[in-house]
Amino acid sequence: MAYNKNIAMFTYTALFSTLALFSFTGHPIGKSLANTDPGFAVVELFTSEGCSSCPAADEVVAKIQRETNEKSIYILAFHVDYWNRLGWKDIFSEPAHSNRQNQYSSWLNASIYTPQVVVNGQQEFVGSDESRLRSSINTALHKTNPVHLSINSIKENDRNVSLHYQIDGNIANNSLVLALIEKTASSKVLRGENEGRTLSHVQIVRNFQTISLNEQSDGVSEIEIPAGLDNQRLEIIAFLQSRENGEITGATKAAISK
């Protein structure tokens, strides 16, 4: 086979550029992606205060959350409940969070473990793998967003959040997922594998629901705010998800106003 110097140089340059973008674990996610790329990344972390391996993953997503600025990166931390029987009840855990992880196990033919991360409903891996998470996020941000989801208005009334959403694009076989997020919190763990540690968390899912769209591209829905939560510490993350394979095709977020 003939050797083409120009092709070889182009291949080398492209490879070098790719490695430069993805290979440095501590390198912040590129600021230019916020303005030049139409993609998004929904990052779901399945974690627990009862798991000794989970604080490292919590720290990774917290670091990335600090870097997001205006980029379309949406982090959700689902605290599962199956670790609670081993000595420490995670106050942020819910059976529904474990059920969601079970659904991903079915969609992705994956094991159930913590810490586990799922990106855009299609990739799963160990949540503390910072290099792979950054690579997955950057890849997702470069992809074309096939559906545009927006929240046009949001109101809080008597501990319920009412929002009007609008969707442009194909919504066949998709559901709307709404998640009520507490941006930061911490707790001191008194028993279990993390006994004696004060753990900090970000983007904690405090309530979520899946809504059937019935082929309607706009509508109004509500989600309840649990008692004791400060509205100023909350936000709503909304995304569209395939009922067939879990793929997330559009996402957005909004603050909650008093």
Side-chain angles (χ1 to χ4, degrees), residues 40-62:
F40 66 91
V42 174
V43 177
E44 298 176 73
L45 172 65
F46 294 93
T47 185
S48 172
E49 291 186 338
C51 161
S52 61
S53 300
C54 287
D58 294 339
E59 291 173 6
V60 167
V61 297

Side-chain angles (χ1 to χ4, degrees), residues 146-152 163-176 178 211-221 238-240 243 252:
V147 179
H148 180 70
L149 169 65
S150 60
I151 296 176
N152 296 332
L163 58 88
H164 175 249
Y165 59 86
Q166 184 170 346
I167 306 162
D168 296 318
N170 184 15
I171 61 172
N173 298 315
N174 274 253
S175 297
L176 176 67
L178 299 180
I211 301 161
S212 177
L213 295 172
N214 296 319
E215 306 305 321
Q216 299 297 314
S217 60
D218 67 275
V220 176
S221 189
F239 53 90
L240 293 170
R243 294 189 296 271
T252 189

Side-chain angles (χ1 to χ4, degrees), residues 158-192:
D158 193 26
R159 306 308 292 172
N160 282 301
V161 177
S162 175
L163 58 88
H164 175 249
Y165 59 86
Q166 184 170 346
I167 306 162
D168 296 318
N170 184 15
I171 61 172
N173 298 315
N174 274 253
S175 297
L176 176 67
V177 180
L178 299 180
L180 180 72
I181 303 295
E182 186 174 11
K183 297 177 186 177
T184 60
S186 63
S187 62
K188 186 170 184 178
V189 179
L190 302 179
R191 293 177 296 280

